Amino acid sequence: MNRRRVHFPAAAAAASAASRRFPRQFPGSFSLRREIPWWYQTLDPGSEFVARWNHVFLVSCLVALFVDPLYFFVPLVGGSACVELDFRFGAVITFLRTVADLFYLMHMVLKFRTAFVAPNSRVFGRGDLVMDAREIAIRYLKTDFVIDLAATLPLPQIFIWFIIPAIQNPTAVHANHTVSLIVLIQYFPRFFLIFPLHRRIVKTTGVIAKTAWTGAAYNLILCTLASHVIGSVWYLWSIQRLSSCWRIECQKEIKNKRYPRCQQHFFDCSTLDDPQRKLWLNSTLVLAKCDAFKDDDHLQFGIFASAFINEVASADFIEKYFYCLWWGLRNLSSYGQSLMTTTLSGENLFSIFICIAGLIFFSHFIGNMQTYLQSSTVRLEEWRIKRRDTEEWMRHRQLPPELQERVRRFVQYKWVATRGVDEETILQSLPLDLRRQIQRHLCLALVRRVPFFAQMDHQLLDAICERLVSSLHTKDAFIVREGDPVNEMLFIIRGEVESSTTDGGRVGFFNSITLGAGDFCGEELLTWALVPTSSLNLPSSTRTVKTLTELEAFALRAEDLKFVSTQFKRLHSKKLQDAFRYYSHQWRTWGACYIQVTWRRFKKRKLAMELARYEDVYYMNGSDKESECGQNSNGDEELSRLTDDAAGTQHLGATILASKFAANTKRGANHKVTILDPQELKMPKLFKPDEPDFSADLGES
């Protein structure tokens, strides 16, 4: 005792010092939790620990609501005209009930240490948390403490194992009434305790069940629990009705002074070996008058007649329990329409309660369960409705069969790829930082597969990924046609497309290439976006892009690309421009065409120079013959050699025509040089050059 007196003030001082040293809140780090004793920690009502505990306590409340009605199955008909208590089954139920009571007790302890939001601070936002333990305790004692205490007290255990054995001459009927009264009284606070707990979970986490099937199972458990309670009460009331019938007939025999005399304790199975009871049982009419088989009109037992006709009261627990559960579920689902009641007010009130409870449960809980089940297939049903509407629209508009088939393929492919989820709407509803991180996770690896984007830094790639949208196309679909305005760039994720051009409809010209995963198309849009003073009109496509397979790609729209090119000047760097030209199939086609045209011009100029030389020699040879007839032999030999070469290689008429064509070619070349002068037009580096001149092919023909 002296040691306790010496150390108790020290412990109190240490506790007060700890409370002043550490904040009264639930610490975030595990090491700090070990330093602060748990009885000094104040819990945040919005913390993860409290949210998990609420879910655990909700499950324990459902288990407790299931265990309490099992006390009604403790009394049973143990023999002829006697009722007894199944103490072995009662011990099991008492153990389960005690475990459930421990959860209620722990919940009360946690509520003494859980902070609350001050009511006067709920003006803007969430409000201020009150962390003081004294204020928390006072508030809890004024609000929910009485209900929680009434739900936590182990009243059935106390009455069964302590009070009833202490009563002199206890009977099963007396114990039956006492336990049923205690359980029914305590069942109401335990039942109403679920509603604030349910609201608290929804307020903290948003939903009571995270998946549709979990929500459906939760509502199904509630309906089954209601059937379990109704069936248990019906069983207990049937035992009571049979006991009441025995006592009424016993009183009649006592008044009639029938011998052997009936006694009330004969209906307890502990008197089965009593000689007087055996003698009374052989001559009494109590069993005959309380026989449910003779109650054809249900005037004596009413809705409880089936319990004795089917021998439910004397059956094993498993058979007895499932029959009572079925009786409760059947009458709840049918709103008690098949019940044959007597004129007793209690029985009629019980039937009315079954009808009202059936309406409530099957309108609310079954409706919620149907909603949960339908939510798992709501997108599929929406897709079916949309597909049906599309079919009706196509038939109404009398579209050709090939167009109808293409529409069906696109609708089917979009459902397979997205499952009816509008990704763009979901992303737009998120904050900017979170949306940027998600887009980076989804698109960065795919964008880096494009060689042109591999040259960019992370900041520029993030800006591009943030504005990419998903694009789906079916097989044999034209993404863009030659001459149409280009409104987006496509970066192919999977699939193949064919990119072809006729150079503006030039006769005899056709260029085609196949693009796959990692390639891009719509380069005209990038050229248009990089022009500082570009017009509002979108550029025209120089190629026709057609899908060869099902195509999935990311699209970068014109306004987004213009914004990126305006905000990030690094996109105008010479390194990126050279990379764009190198990987662009458009620029490769232009380069090949210009090389061909340049080579043809070189060949034409070379031929023209040769023909001009031959023509000069020819005319010079003719003039020399008229003016100088007496040249030396060396001059005659050279003139004859040149004349023979010119006559052998080209006819005079062809030579003159070739000379005129060469002069025209020179003038055309000089005109081209004047047009392509960058000083006069001031064209940007990436602007599309003029189309090559293929007139050489026409000249040769």
Side-chain angles (χ1 to χ4, degrees), residues 107-108 111 139-150 193 196 200:
H107 184 67
M108 291 182 63
K111 291 186 74 172
R139 179 179 179 273
Y140 178 52
L141 291 173
K142 291 181 179 181
T143 54
D144 301 333
F145 177 76
V146 177
I147 297 178
D148 293 343
L149 181 63
L193 192 62
R200 196 177 303 116

Side-chain angles (χ1 to χ4, degrees), residues 646-659:
T649 56
Q650 192 70 291
H651 191 267
L652 178 61
T655 303
I656 295 173
L657 181 62
S659 177

